Amino acid sequence: MKSEVLGPVYWSVLEHGGWTLHLAATSRGLCYVGSANKPFEEMEEWVGKHMRPAKLIRDDKALSPYIGELADYIEGKLVRFTIPCDLVGTPFQRSVWEALRSIPYGETRSYSDIAESIGKPAAVRAVGSAIGANPVLMSVPCHRVIGKNGALTGFRGGLEMKSRLLSIEKAAADTRAREVAHHA
């Protein structure tokens, strides 16, 4: 499904914590966060496949709010994203992505949990496909979905990136819990 975007798609690069991530945004919000250390062509291919043909324009200033929040997230300083997203997908995919956004920071859910949460308990495989098509890593937290047995499973950014994102969230959540207990 192609977006109605007629204008340009702006892009930039976030280099942080040993990762290089390509980001893209429309005038409506973040539309793409690439896998760690993948080339520009990964983003360029996604934009070409999913957006109306739009010129890709590098604009570090326009992407700075997105870069700032993603960097804060990677540092464990940000629990909830406030940046807008322009999610391009089918209605089913968007319903799955919204379900992902409801998973609390530092927690995980199984694919079947997500399928049940959107009222389609038999659609576990379709849910997996929709999760795999998530264009906005981290802000739409598909890394929080694991196998029913607790095992880490597929992730567009790779299992190393998924594991690191979950570790960041766990460490930050543990620190916050200790701070709350200390002040209680």
Side-chain angles (χ1 to χ4, degrees), residues 20-163:
T20 299
L21 302 164
H22 288 86
L23 315 176
T26 68
S27 61
R28 293 190 298 252
L30 190 65
C31 65
Y32 181 83
V33 175
S35 306
N37 305 318
K38 295 293 183 182
F40 171 83
E41 289 77 18
E42 180 192 59
M43 177 190 62
E44 184 178 43
E45 181 180 325
W46 184 88
V47 169
K49 182 177 180 184
H50 298 283
M51 308 295 283
R52 282 193 173 268
K55 187 174 182 181
L56 270 171
I57 299 171
R58 182 161 187 166
D59 189 334
D60 298 334
K61 185 177 180 184
L63 274 285
S64 66
Y66 306 107
I67 289 171
E69 283 203 11
L70 288 165
D72 285 349
Y73 169 80
I74 292 168
E75 291 176 13
K77 297 177 183 175
L78 182 78
V79 173
R80 183 175 307 277
F81 287 96
T82 62
I83 50 177
C85 289
D86 184 6
L87 299 175
V88 178
T90 66
F92 179 80
Q93 287 173 327
R94 288 194 307 268
S95 72
V96 169
W97 300 336
E98 284 306 312
L100 298 178
R101 293 175 104 179
S102 72
I103 302 171
Y105 183 90
E107 296 184 20
T108 58
R109 298 290 185 270
S110 70
Y111 292 89
S112 55
D113 291 337
I114 300 302
E116 288 177 29
S117 77
I118 64 167
K120 306 237 183 236
V124 176
R125 284 182 189 250
V127 163
S129 293
I131 291 171
N134 171 23
V136 185
L137 300 182
M138 292 179 276
S139 184
V140 177
C142 56
H143 61 276
R144 295 180 188 155
V145 181
I146 60 174
K148 199 167 196 159
N149 62 0
L152 293 187
T153 55
F155 180 66
R156 177 169 57 89
L159 293 183
E160 183 179 321
M161 184 179 183
K162 182 173 189 163
S163 177

